[in-house]
Amino acid sequence: MDLFVVPTISFRLLYGLLIMSHGRRQILWFGVTAHPTAEWIANQLTEACGWEQIPRYLIRDRDGAYGEIFLRRVRSIGIRDRPTSPRPTWQKRLCRTADRFNPPGMH
C-alpha cells in the first residue's frame, strides 16, 4: 500500500492510493482524493479487499495519514500491519510505486 502526490496543471495536489498484491504485483485498488484522511484510507482498504479475500499482511510506510481509524479497521478485519522501518533501505522498494513496476536490477 502506498500514498503518493500528483500535482495537477492548476497546481492543486491530489493524493493517490495504490494497493497491490505483492505476490504477482497485481493492482488491487487505486483511489484518488484531494484530502486523504485515515477514514478514507480505511474505506479504500475495505473496498480493495472486501471482507472475503483478506490479505494476511499489509506493508506500508509510516505516513501520518494512516491514523487510528485506519489502524482499527486493519485490526478488525484481521490483517497484520507491517509498517516499514523509519529509515528503510531494502524495504523502500516495497512501498514505492515506481519501484514496484520496475525494481532496480529487475528488468
Side-chain angles (χ1 to χ4, degrees):
M1 169 180 267
D2 195 17
L3 272 172
F4 56 93
V5 179
V6 180
T8 67
I9 196 161
S10 63
F11 301 105
R12 287 183 47 213
L13 295 179
L14 295 177
Y15 298 85
L17 176 73
L18 182 65
I19 301 174
M20 294 185 68
S21 171
H22 184 64
R24 293 187 177 207
R25 295 185 181 183
Q26 284 182 311
I27 295 175
L28 297 178
W29 192 258
F30 182 79
V32 177
T33 186
H35 306 285
T37 63
E39 184 176 8
W40 180 80
I41 297 170
N43 289 337
Q44 298 301 303
L45 179 63
T46 302
E47 291 290 328
C49 302
W51 294 93
E52 297 172 12
Q53 297 264 344
I54 301 169
R56 287 186 288 172
Y57 297 96
L58 174 68
I59 300 171
R60 63 175 179 84
D61 59 16
R62 293 179 179 266
D63 193 305
Y66 302 110
E68 187 59 35
I69 294 170
F70 171 78
L71 296 174
R72 281 195 308 247
R73 177 76 52 89
V74 168
R75 286 185 214 117
S76 73
I77 58 180
I79 300 174
R80 289 182 159 176
D81 185 30
R82 297 292 185 242
T84 58
S85 301
R87 295 200 161 232
T89 54
W90 63 272
Q91 292 175 338
K92 203 170 236 180
R93 277 187 244 136
L94 296 175
C95 288
R96 279 207 179 142
T97 305
D99 287 344
R100 287 190 178 157
F101 295 109
N102 191 15
M106 302 288 284
H107 297 284

